[in-house]
Amino acid sequence: MGGRARGPPPTGRRPAPGPTPSTGPSGTGHRAPGTGHRAPGTGRNCRPHRWGIPSPRTRLGSDMTTVGLIGSGHIGGTVARLAVAAGYDVVLSNSRGPETLKDLVEELGPRARAATVREAAEAGDLVVVTIPLKAYRDVPVEPLAGKLVLDTNNYYPERDGRFPELDSGSTTSSELLQRHLPQSRVVKVFNNIFFKHLHALARPAGADDRSALPVAGDDAGAKAEATAFLDRIGYDAVDAGTLAESWRYQPDTPAYGTIYSADPADWEREAPADAARVRAALTEATR
């Protein structure tokens, strides 16, 4: 499992392969949405927002207190920051070993610890898989049985190699992960937003400029739990349908990347995208 998953990179091009796609175990593996590049590095200067506190109206279940991360790069690290700010404990992992996550753990504080990939899968009440697609078969199956799994993956052939079933459109990358994890409840989310935007656009519930993220999954209960998690960390959710429909916010679609950018040519400036705008972008997607 290699590479960090960063989200779509800031540029007007497609995200480039490399340590930024939204799938790498270490949090890389994404390209920046709306560009042909992966999102550029993220830094330890991304601090949790003050508003990341559980909302009284959010219902996620008192037993869901720990987020496990398989991949702790750009996207994984950003989700971890938002989760800690919202009151969750996080267990970080990557393909290189717990010792490589010391700095991030120190930054996040007492609610965070580093572990092996299997330990993070076992510890999480919900688990974020944010590794390159080419490594999806390395995700441990048994410890994720029955759990909500949030998949941030995108398919980048230049990084992942060719998957004929994805090239033909006969399936989606998240359906591949769901088949690999038959007893887990997979929901696709976080794959269409640049990691810097994900950090900067989080807002408290009810804020006029709150952004929305699309979620897709085959289990209605899992999507409801994912929606509650997003609410706690600062986002609304838009139901994009089943995993088979998740192509609607994969690379090169209107809902990927630039929808959260003030200028498609300048990914450094984020702009909110509310639920109505995200729904419209999903509807506009074509294959």
Side-chain angles (χ1 to χ4, degrees):
M1 301 160 86
R4 305 179 180 177
R6 311 177 182 187
T11 81
R13 299 158 278 182
R14 286 188 185 175
T20 46
S22 62
T23 37
S26 48
T28 88
H30 280 67
R31 306 179 196 176
T35 83
H37 295 70
R38 300 183 184 182
T42 106
R44 293 176 51 201
N45 56 345
C46 293
R47 301 286 177 181
H49 287 59
R50 246 182 342 172
W51 45 258
I53 298 171
S55 162
R57 69 183 179 82
T58 299
R59 295 186 58 81
L60 190 58
S62 58
D63 55 333
M64 292 190 112
T65 60
T66 301
V67 179
L69 291 114
I70 298 178
S72 302
H74 293 301
I75 288 292
T78 301
V79 172
R81 291 177 177 97
L82 297 179
V84 165
Y88 290 95
D89 294 325
V90 300
V91 181
L92 308 163
S93 72
N94 63 18
S95 60
R96 300 185 305 279
E99 65 283 355
T100 66
L101 294 167
K102 180 182 177 182
D103 288 348
L104 181 56
V105 169
E106 289 180 353
E107 175 195 334
L108 294 175
R111 286 192 174 275
R113 67 182 176 90
T116 66
V117 167
R118 186 176 186 84
E119 289 168 343
E122 291 172 341
D125 298 311
L126 66 92
V127 176
V128 182
V129 173
T130 181
I131 64 178
L133 174 63
K134 63 183 178 182
Y136 84 89
R137 295 182 187 88
D138 295 334
V139 175
V141 176
E142 183 274 329
L144 293 176
K147 294 187 178 183
L148 170 62
V149 173
L150 303 184
D151 174 29
T152 79
N153 199 7
N154 283 314
Y155 172 42
Y156 302 121
E158 66 273 31
R159 176 200 65 191
D160 300 314
R162 287 287 174 184
F163 284 68
E165 63 270 52
L166 298 181
D167 292 334
S168 69
S170 63
T171 192
T172 63
S173 59
S174 289
E175 287 179 289
L176 293 181
L177 181 62
Q178 180 67 85
R179 290 172 197 165
H180 176 66
L181 303 172
Q183 295 181 302
S184 301
R185 300 170 302 132
V186 174
V187 172
K188 189 178 191 73
V189 66
F190 298 126
N191 69 295
N192 71 317
I193 186 168
F194 181 41
F195 74 95
K196 290 185 178 179
H197 298 169
L198 177 62
H199 183 264
L201 290 173
R203 298 288 187 276
D208 291 340
D209 60 345
R210 203 181 208 208
S211 292
L213 295 171
V215 297
D218 296 338
D219 182 297
K223 286 193 285 188
E225 291 171 17
T227 296
F229 175 66
L230 290 180
D231 184 43
R232 284 185 63 171
I233 67 171
Y235 286 87
D236 290 334
V238 171
D239 190 338
T242 64
L243 293 178
E245 292 294 313
S246 62
W247 63 268
R248 291 183 178 278
Y249 52 105
Q250 289 182 343
D252 301 319
T253 62
Y256 178 80
T258 53
I259 192 172
Y260 303 106
S261 179
D263 179 354
D266 178 10
W267 284 69
E268 294 303 315
R269 294 195 301 125
E270 72 281 349
D274 64 13
R277 186 176 175 196
V278 171
R279 273 191 211 96
L282 294 171
T283 301
E284 292 166 11
T286 59
R287 274 178 158 172

